[in-house]
């Protein structure tokens, strides 16, 4: 990976060489090609899709639908298995609202984990409450990982849905998902996979995984905000009812009856996020041009380097040393994570502190929050050094009190 070239692709980094941006798990920075793709749409087309009967609108529609094909290829899906949404949260909610509310019944079981982001856990808590189904949790092992062995302990013939993260946004652990999917299918359950922290950082192939649903956001994979993807197996999307009505999803509408389009369009109401979808496709192409395997190895190498240095500092608790992605979850002993974060800010080190919308694992760790540094393709060893220096300074600063 040519890091100088990559950093030059990102205007935010080009504009400020001092910045150590270590918050890509919250949002990735945007490369020039994505910004240009978004701007080009507004400058050259700027009109709606699917409805205009004029050349400009045909061109916008072609770009928008070609983006769906690019995104489908990125995860090895078919184009009609790709639903545009507002983001991972909207995708995860769509599955729960449509599949969960219609195909989960009283007495059924839904399996999830304490490693879930709220957007993966809460929609199913809601379904289970409404449908009188039972929400069960896979016990985590001593490192707080999801294991196949522990999954087997909660899987039963009553399991209808497994709602599970592929990569935890707090611990960065990769779930052994292929085996879990195979076991879930053996009892007739479906698996809705939260890929928000996986798809941007590693090669994800939905056919190889055989997952039933996969949700992710554009903004975490160098794409624009306001767009996300729900991948769903065609047979499942076909039998699921829409959860929103109006706009483009309608087919024929009468005073007392209506029909709607086939999937994926029946889930897409109103004017879509055209520019963001086009930008997301460009981001997929950009990441592929660098190589997902290379990106994953790079992030993990930087994370390991940072962990090695952090371990030399007294008074630091690291929660996920063995993590195989680019996330470090830690605390400075006796210091509130938000207080620590403010010292990092003075050093131009951007990290996130708090519960990261994952209160279950934060509580399980026995803390009020963690400091999280997350690495991506544009980070360097220099960023690691700045980060470690900022941790030392924060520790020394708070040690006075
Ligand atoms: N699932 C996971 C695993 C996530 O990390 C996030 C966002 C979401 C779902 C929701 O994505 P959204 O795009 O709909 O917001 N996670 C984080 C984070 O860790 N810090 O900020 C947002």
């Amino acid at each position: 990976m040519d890091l100088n070239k990559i950093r030059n692709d990102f205007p935010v980094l080009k504009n400020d060489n001092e910045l150590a941006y270590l918050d890509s798990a919250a949002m990735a920075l945007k490369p020039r090609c994505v910004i240009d793709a978004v701007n080009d749409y507004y400058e050259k087309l700027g009109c709606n899709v699917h409805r205009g009967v004029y050349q400009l609108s045909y061109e916008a529609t072609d770009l928008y639908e070609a983006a769906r094909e690019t995104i489908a290829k990125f995860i090895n899906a078919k184009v009609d298995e790709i639903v545009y949404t507002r983001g991972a949260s909207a995708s995860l909610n769509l599955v729960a609202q449509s599949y969960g509310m219609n195909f989960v019944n009283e007495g059924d079981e839904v399996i999830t984990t304490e490693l879930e982001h709220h957007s993966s856990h809460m929609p199913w808590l809601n379904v289970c409450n409404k449908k009188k189904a039972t929400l069960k949790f896979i016990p985590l092992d001593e490192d707080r990982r999801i294991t196949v062995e522990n999954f087997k302990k909660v899987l039963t013939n009553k399991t209808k849905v497994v709602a599970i993260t592929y990569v935890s946004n707090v611990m960065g652990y990769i779930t052994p998902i292929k085996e879990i999917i195979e076991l879930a299918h053996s009892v007739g359950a479906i698996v809705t996979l939260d890929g928000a922290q996986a798809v941007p950082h590693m090669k994800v192939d939905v056919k190889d995984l055989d997952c039933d649903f996969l949700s992710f956001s554009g903004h975490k994979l160098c794409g624009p905000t306001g767009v996300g993807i729900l991948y769903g197996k065609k047979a499942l999307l076909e039998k699921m009812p829409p959860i929103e009505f109006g706009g483009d999803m309608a087919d024929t509408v009468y005073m007392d009856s209506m029909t709607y389009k086939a999937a994926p369009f029946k889930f897409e109401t109103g004017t879509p996020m055209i520019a963001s979808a086009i930008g997301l496709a460009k981001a997929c192409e950009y990441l592929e041009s660098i190589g997902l395997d290379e990106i994953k190895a790079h992030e993990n190498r930087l994370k390991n380097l940072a962990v090695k240095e952090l371990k030399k500092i007294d008074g630091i608790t690291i929660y996920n040393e063995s993590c195989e992605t680019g996330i470090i979850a830690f605390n400075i002993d006796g210091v509130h994570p938000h207080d620590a974060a403010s010292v990092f800010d003075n050093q131009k080190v951007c990290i996130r502190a708090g519960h990261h919308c994952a209160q279950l694992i934060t509580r399980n760790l026995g803390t009020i929050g963690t400091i999280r540094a997350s690495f991506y393709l544009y980070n360097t060893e220099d960023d690691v050094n700045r980060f470690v220096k900022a941790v030392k300074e924060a520790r020394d600063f708070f040690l006075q009190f």
Side-chain angles (χ1 to χ4, degrees):
M1 278 173 62
D2 183 345
L3 276 181
N4 282 335
K5 184 173 173 306
I6 289 173
R7 287 176 75 81
N8 258 324
D9 290 338
F10 288 82
V12 168
L13 299 176
K14 233 172 119 177
N15 292 342
D16 187 350
N17 210 24
E18 302 281 290
L19 198 69
Y21 186 76
L22 303 181
D23 197 21
S24 298
M27 187 181 293
L29 301 176
K30 318 302 171 201
R32 170 56 62 198
C33 61
V34 168
I35 299 166
D36 285 348
V38 170
N39 283 344
D40 269 6
Y41 159 75
Y42 284 119
E43 282 186 20
K44 295 181 184 151
L45 300 165
C47 61
N48 217 329
V49 292
H50 292 159
R51 31 192 103 169
V53 282
Y54 46 87
Q55 191 55 34
L56 215 57
S57 179
Y58 294 143
E59 280 180 37
T61 304
D62 284 351
L63 261 181
Y64 175 71
E65 289 303 331
R68 198 190 302 263
E69 274 178 42
T70 304
I71 297 160
K73 280 204 195 97
F74 187 66
I75 56 165
N76 195 24
K78 295 199 201 87
V79 69
D80 54 1
E81 296 173 319
I82 298 295
V83 183
Y84 283 127
T85 67
R86 276 181 295 108
S89 298
S91 304
L92 293 160
N93 272 279
L94 200 168
V95 178
Q97 282 301 312
S98 177
Y99 190 89
M101 286 300 189
N102 290 284
F103 299 103
V104 171
N105 296 307
E106 187 168 348
D108 287 346
E109 293 176 356
V110 174
I111 294 178
T112 191
T113 83
E114 283 165 275
L115 281 175
E116 302 312 304
H117 187 279
H118 294 162
S119 296
S120 174
H121 162 234
M122 290 173 70
W124 290 101
L125 179 56
N126 180 48
V127 168
C128 289
N129 285 344
K130 292 254 163 65
K131 306 290 291 197
K132 298 198 172 72
T134 307
L135 190 61
K136 292 168 79 175
F137 288 81
I138 304 173
L140 301 178
D141 76 0
E142 64 275 13
D143 285 341
R144 297 178 173 82
R145 281 178 182 272
I146 299 164
T147 64
V148 177
E149 274 320 298
N150 284 348
F151 176 63
K152 286 181 189 161
K153 291 180 190 157
V154 286
L155 184 70
T156 73
N157 286 332
K158 290 184 190 164
T159 308
K160 289 290 173 305
V161 174
V162 180
I164 191 164
T165 190
Y166 196 166
V167 173
S168 154
N169 69 319
V170 176
M171 305 297 267
Y173 294 152
I174 301 176
T175 306
I177 200 64
K178 253 182 108 159
E179 296 95 318
I180 287 177
I181 290 169
E182 219 179 298
L183 284 164
H185 288 167
S186 74
V187 301
I190 61 109
V191 177
T192 165
L193 190 55
D194 180 353
Q197 298 292 348
V199 179
H201 302 279
M202 55 203 255
K203 187 76 202 137
V204 174
D205 178 331
V206 290
K207 292 289 179 283
D208 178 50
L209 292 178
D210 200 26
C211 57
D212 300 284
F213 298 102
L214 173 78
S215 299
F216 59 98
S217 287
H219 68 87
K220 291 190 202 287
L221 64 75
C222 298
T225 55
V227 63
I229 298 297
L230 172 64
Y231 157 80
K233 280 184 182 164
K234 192 158 184 238
L236 290 172
L237 292 180
E238 269 170 3
K239 73 176 195 178
M240 284 158 56
I243 55 166
E244 288 180 6
F245 298 84
D248 243 13
M249 57 79 77
D251 189 11
T252 51
V253 181
Y254 298 94
M255 286 169 82
D256 57 358
S257 70
M258 60 183 170
T259 59
Y260 26 79
K261 290 184 179 142
F265 304 106
K266 71 175 168 189
F267 298 110
E268 298 174 359
T269 49
T271 297
M273 58 314 269
I274 306 164
S276 295
I278 293 167
L280 173 54
K282 189 52 81 179
C284 292
E285 287 172 350
Y286 177 77
L287 292 181
E288 263 176 346
S289 76
I290 289 162
L292 272 301
D293 291 341
E294 285 76 5
I295 292 171
K296 179 169 180 276
H298 173 70
E299 292 169 11
N300 190 239
R301 191 179 70 79
L302 291 182
K303 186 233 72 172
N304 286 337
L305 206 61
V307 165
K308 197 171 137 216
E309 292 305 313
L310 284 194
K311 284 174 76 178
K312 294 180 189 161
I313 310 171
D314 285 339
I316 305 290
T317 302
I318 303 171
Y319 298 101
N320 65 336
E321 214 184 300
S322 68
C323 142
E324 53 285 75
T325 59
I327 288 179
I328 308 177
F330 71 103
N331 266 320
I332 302 174
D333 298 346
V335 179
H336 192 289
H338 281 140
D339 291 341
S342 61
V343 177
F344 283 69
D345 185 35
N346 294 337
Q347 309 283 323
K348 288 185 135 181
V349 175
C350 309
I351 45 92
R352 193 175 164 191
H355 58 58
H356 314 289
C357 297
Q359 290 181 25
L360 302 186
I361 189 63
T362 307
R363 209 169 290 126
N364 183 310
L365 287 168
T367 173
I368 43 165
T370 55
I371 309 171
R372 181 186 67 188
S374 51
F375 295 95
Y376 207 6
L377 72 161
Y378 34 67
N379 291 120
T380 61
E381 286 187 20
D382 216 36
D383 292 335
V384 172
N385 295 337
R386 284 203 184 119
F387 165 65
V388 173
K389 185 164 166 274
V391 175
K392 277 187 193 142
E393 280 180 26
R395 200 274 322 256
D396 291 348
F397 177 76
F398 289 107
L399 219 55
Q400 305 170 56
F401 303 107

